[in-house]
């Protein structure tokens, strides 16, 4: 069995391709069920977000699996031909597929490194796959581990702690000045998009009250309803500044709306309690001379951008720590997956030994009809003890050597020594059955008219 991923993301495809390939949430279940009708596809998970569409699958054969998933994507999105789709796809298998999933879950592959939304989206995709029974032992283990890795990255690094958007950088600075925003008042002057985003972030952080003013009174009323705040007449907002701990300014004015004298009067009325002013306007709407007013802290768009760039660099440093965690955790999963290779042999060996024991005990008992029930139990126990002791060391050796460079040789030797490959049908478990259940049972046959190995074109392919 092989774990593979085929997909595209913001790194490989423009938005016009990504939006055509995206699968609506309401159709993911149906798409997963259809994915498992492709021969050789044993397990499947579909991750579809605004920045990526990826199919994770457990397949019998790597090349055949790549072709089937590419075909599935083309069949699912008739607006895209295979020729349009293929140049944007990436392909990974084995350790690279596992590492890719771990990096995606930990937001190391996101447009904004450290963002938290992708982990929730992966969890949702996993829940849908579980509900439609398209995952089995391998996929369940790997996805659960990916979620665990993402949580470890967030716990052991600071990858998500530093703001990397201008609007959230404003909130981060406000928290440094006031620490607790619960009882603070925000005055929003104007309705620029970044200012509104900053206001939303402040509200999410528990800011106590929002007051809003714009040149258009009706617009102020509408925004106040949106944010659960209070509208303020534009001609009165300078007087209202004294009640504001945080002043966010974002208008289209070409001159300074707030001067140093305006801020000085507000600070005096506040009895020198600190005031935080954020000017996201271009041109600036707050006179830079405000920086000289005691207990007034002014930051403009360049200050915020500088903060963002500094934080982005720090996030990248934290991302290096996270990448090392991914490598470590991939090794853990690879060892587990190698251990699956020996499971069918161990199961077959135990079944063969049990069958031989049962047959010999039955023949012996037929000649010892005079034995009591208690004596029969003693004979059966003796036979079981002998068989278990004979195969015990073999099973221990197989388990201990499976992750070594000679693991495959030990498995092959055991199968030859005990003649396990000649067992009758039903005497022991096959590799598929021991490793995991198929995503749909029974597995549908090859659909009529399909080639045994579809052409996969000049795709870029990465294998372990």
């Amino acid at each position: 069995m092989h774990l593979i991923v085929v997909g595209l993301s913001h790194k490989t495809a423009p938005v016009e391709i990504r939006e055509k390939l995206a699968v609506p949430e309401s159709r993911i279940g149906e798409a997963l069920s259809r994915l498992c009708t492709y021969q050789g596809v044993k397990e499947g998970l579909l991750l579809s977000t605004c920045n990526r569409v990826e199919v994770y699958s457990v397949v019998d054969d790597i090349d055949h699996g790549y072709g089937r998933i590419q075909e599935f994507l083309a069949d699912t999105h008739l607006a895209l031909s295979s020729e349009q789709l293929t140049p944007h796809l990436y392909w990974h298998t084995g350790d690279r597929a596992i590492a890719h999933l771990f990096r995606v879950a930990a937001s190391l592959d996101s447009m904004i490194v450290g963002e938290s939304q992708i982990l929730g989206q992966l969890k949702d995709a996993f829940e849908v796959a579980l509900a439609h029974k398209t995952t089995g032992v391998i996929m369940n283990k790997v996805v659960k581990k990916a979620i665990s890795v993402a949580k470890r990255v967030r716990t052991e690094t600071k990858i998500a702690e530093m703001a990397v958007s201008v609007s959230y950088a404003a909130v981060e600075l406000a928290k440094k000045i006031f620490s607790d925003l619960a009882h603070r008042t925000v005055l929003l002057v104007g309705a620029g998009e970044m200012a509104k985003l900053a206001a939303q972030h402040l509200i999410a952080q528990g800011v106590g009250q929002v007051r809003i003013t714009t040149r258009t009174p009706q617009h102020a009323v509408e925004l106040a309803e949106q944010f659960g705040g209070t509208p303020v007449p534009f001609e009165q907002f300078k007087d209202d500044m004294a009640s504001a701990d945080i002043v966010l300014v974002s208008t289209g004015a070409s001159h300074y709306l707030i001067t140093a004298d305006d801020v000085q009067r507000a600070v005096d009325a506040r009895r020198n309690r600190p005031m935080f002013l954020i000017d996201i306007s271009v041109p600036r709407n707050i006179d830079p001379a405000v920086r000289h007013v005691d207990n007034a802290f002014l930051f403009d768009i360049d200050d915020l951008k500088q903060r963002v760039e500094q934080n982005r660099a720090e996030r990248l440093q934290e991302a290096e720590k996270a990448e090392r965690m991914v490598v470590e955790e991939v090794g853990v999963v690879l060892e587990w997956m190698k251990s699956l290779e020996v499971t069918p042999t161990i199961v077959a060996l135990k079944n063969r030994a049990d069958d031989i024991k049962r047959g010999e005990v039955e023949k012996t008992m037929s000649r010892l009809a005079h034995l009591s029930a208690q004596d029969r139990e003693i004979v059966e126990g003796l036979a079981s003890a002998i068989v278990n002791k004979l195969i015990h060391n073999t099973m221990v050796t197989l388990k201990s050597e499976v992750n070594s460079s000679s693991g495959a040789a030990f498995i092959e030797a055991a199968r030859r020594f005990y003649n396990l490959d000649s067992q009758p049908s039903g005497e022991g478990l096959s590799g598929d059955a021991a490793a995991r259940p198929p995503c749909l049972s029974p597995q549908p046959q090859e659909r009529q008219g399909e080639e045994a190995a579809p052409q996969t074109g000049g795709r870029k392919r990465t294998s372990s």
Side-chain angles (χ1 to χ4, degrees):
M1 291 297 103
H2 305 275
L3 177 67
I4 66 174
V5 56
V6 179
L8 53 74
S9 71
H10 60 281
K11 293 182 177 181
T12 66
V15 66
E16 55 266 26
I17 296 294
R18 300 200 307 272
E19 65 187 7
K20 289 179 181 177
L21 199 63
V23 181
E25 184 177 348
S26 60
R27 290 185 52 212
I28 289 181
E30 175 273 328
L32 281 172
S33 297
R34 189 162 45 77
L35 171 65
C36 288
T37 67
Y38 289 80
Q39 189 180 46
V41 176
K42 303 301 183 184
E43 302 180 38
L45 180 141
L46 176 59
L47 179 62
S48 180
T49 74
C50 57
N51 283 329
R52 70 182 63 249
V53 177
E54 296 176 336
V55 176
Y56 295 85
S57 185
V58 174
V59 298
D60 287 329
D61 177 80
I62 294 174
D63 284 337
H64 193 74
Y66 282 151
R68 284 295 182 250
I69 292 177
Q70 181 180 355
E71 182 183 348
F72 160 76
L73 290 171
D75 288 348
T76 303
H77 307 85
L78 299 178
L80 284 173
S81 66
S82 182
E83 290 73 18
Q84 292 174 303
L85 182 60
T86 300
H88 302 287
L89 293 176
Y90 42 79
W91 322 71
H92 302 299
T93 188
D95 58 341
R96 291 177 181 269
I98 298 169
H100 179 79
L101 176 58
F102 288 5
R103 296 186 73 255
V104 168
S107 77
L108 296 173
D109 196 58
S110 295
M111 187 176 290
I112 299 176
V113 173
E115 58 92 8
S116 60
Q117 188 178 13
I118 185 62
L119 180 57
Q121 292 168 327
L122 175 61
K123 288 179 179 178
D124 291 343
F126 187 38
E127 288 296 326
V128 174
L130 288 174
H132 287 79
K133 297 181 173 57
T134 62
T135 62
V137 173
I138 294 177
M139 191 71 73
N140 290 345
K141 175 76 172 184
V142 175
V143 177
K144 287 177 181 177
K145 189 64 173 177
I147 294 170
S148 173
V149 169
K151 291 178 179 177
R152 180 187 171 194
V153 166
R154 291 189 174 278
T155 301
E156 298 182 23
T157 74
K158 298 178 181 179
I159 196 169
E161 292 184 10
M162 295 81 72
V164 288
S165 69
V166 167
S167 55
Y168 200 83
V171 178
E172 186 183 72
L173 289 169
K175 290 172 70 175
K176 286 186 177 296
I177 293 170
F178 295 111
S179 67
D180 182 14
L181 300 180
H183 303 292
R184 302 299 174 181
T185 297
V186 177
L187 173 62
L188 181 62
V189 181
E193 286 304 313
M194 279 192 290
K196 286 192 288 186
L197 281 173
Q200 289 173 351
H201 289 316
L202 286 165
I203 292 169
Q205 293 296 317
V207 74
Q209 186 179 9
V210 179
R211 302 174 69 78
I212 301 170
T213 185
T214 66
R215 292 186 183 276
T216 307
Q218 182 58 35
H219 197 190
V221 171
E222 292 171 356
L223 284 176
E225 291 177 354
Q226 177 183 341
F227 291 127
T230 304
V232 175
F234 191 78
E235 59 274 11
Q236 297 177 17
F237 85 85
K238 290 185 181 181
D239 296 328
D240 201 66
M241 282 199 308
S243 66
D245 302 293
I246 303 167
V247 180
L248 268 167
V249 182
S250 178
T251 80
S254 58
H255 58 281
Y256 297 142
L257 294 177
I258 299 174
T259 66
D261 289 340
D262 296 329
V263 174
Q264 185 65 65
R265 283 193 295 272
V267 170
D268 291 342
R270 292 170 57 81
R271 298 180 182 274
N272 290 316
R273 285 182 292 121
M275 173 183 286
F276 179 42
L277 299 102
I278 310 166
D279 187 0
I280 312 182
S281 310
V282 180
R284 290 174 293 178
N285 289 167
I286 301 179
D287 188 341
V290 167
R291 299 181 192 275
H292 302 299
V293 177
D294 289 341
N295 294 309
F297 301 88
L298 171 64
F299 292 85
D300 60 25
I301 189 72
D302 283 351
D303 296 323
L304 297 177
K305 286 182 176 178
Q306 181 178 356
R307 180 80 181 188
V308 165
E309 289 306 315
Q310 177 184 341
N311 288 350
R312 185 173 284 117
E314 291 181 16
R315 274 200 181 191
L316 291 177
Q317 289 181 346
E318 294 298 303
E320 292 179 6
K321 299 179 187 176
E323 295 283 7
R324 290 193 289 271
M325 292 179 191
V326 166
V327 172
E328 175 187 330
E329 299 285 7
V330 167
V332 172
V333 174
L334 285 177
E335 287 194 5
W336 173 81
M337 291 185 72
K338 283 185 179 180
S339 72
L340 292 181
E341 297 174 8
V342 77
T343 300
T345 298
I346 289 176
V347 171
L349 172 57
K350 194 167 188 324
N351 286 345
R352 169 56 63 87
D354 285 343
D355 286 344
I356 293 173
K357 177 200 73 175
R358 190 181 307 113
E360 294 303 315
V361 167
E362 287 175 357
K363 285 193 295 184
T364 301
M365 290 300 187
S366 67
R367 296 195 298 268
L368 299 173
H370 62 280
L371 291 182
S372 66
Q374 184 177 3
D375 290 338
R376 286 174 175 272
E377 287 185 8
I378 292 173
V379 172
E380 289 181 359
L382 173 64
S384 295
I386 293 172
V387 166
N388 289 339
K389 286 183 182 296
L390 283 172
I391 66 173
H392 174 73
N393 285 341
T394 300
M395 292 195 294
V396 169
T397 301
L398 286 172
K399 290 178 181 177
S400 63
E401 294 293 338
V402 67
N403 290 316
S404 72
S405 59
S406 303
F410 276 92
I411 294 173
E412 177 64 20
R415 300 194 74 86
R416 288 193 180 188
F417 289 157
Y418 292 97
N419 199 25
L420 300 181
D421 291 322
S422 64
Q423 293 184 77
S425 177
E427 183 186 324
L429 294 177
S430 68
D432 289 359
R436 43 100 207 108
C439 61
L440 285 182
S441 183
Q443 185 72 16
Q445 297 298 312
E446 184 93 5
R447 290 176 296 173
Q448 187 174 6
E450 289 183 343
E451 299 178 18
Q455 297 297 319
T456 52
R459 60 175 180 269
K460 296 168 284 185
R461 189 171 62 194
T462 307
S463 60
S464 57

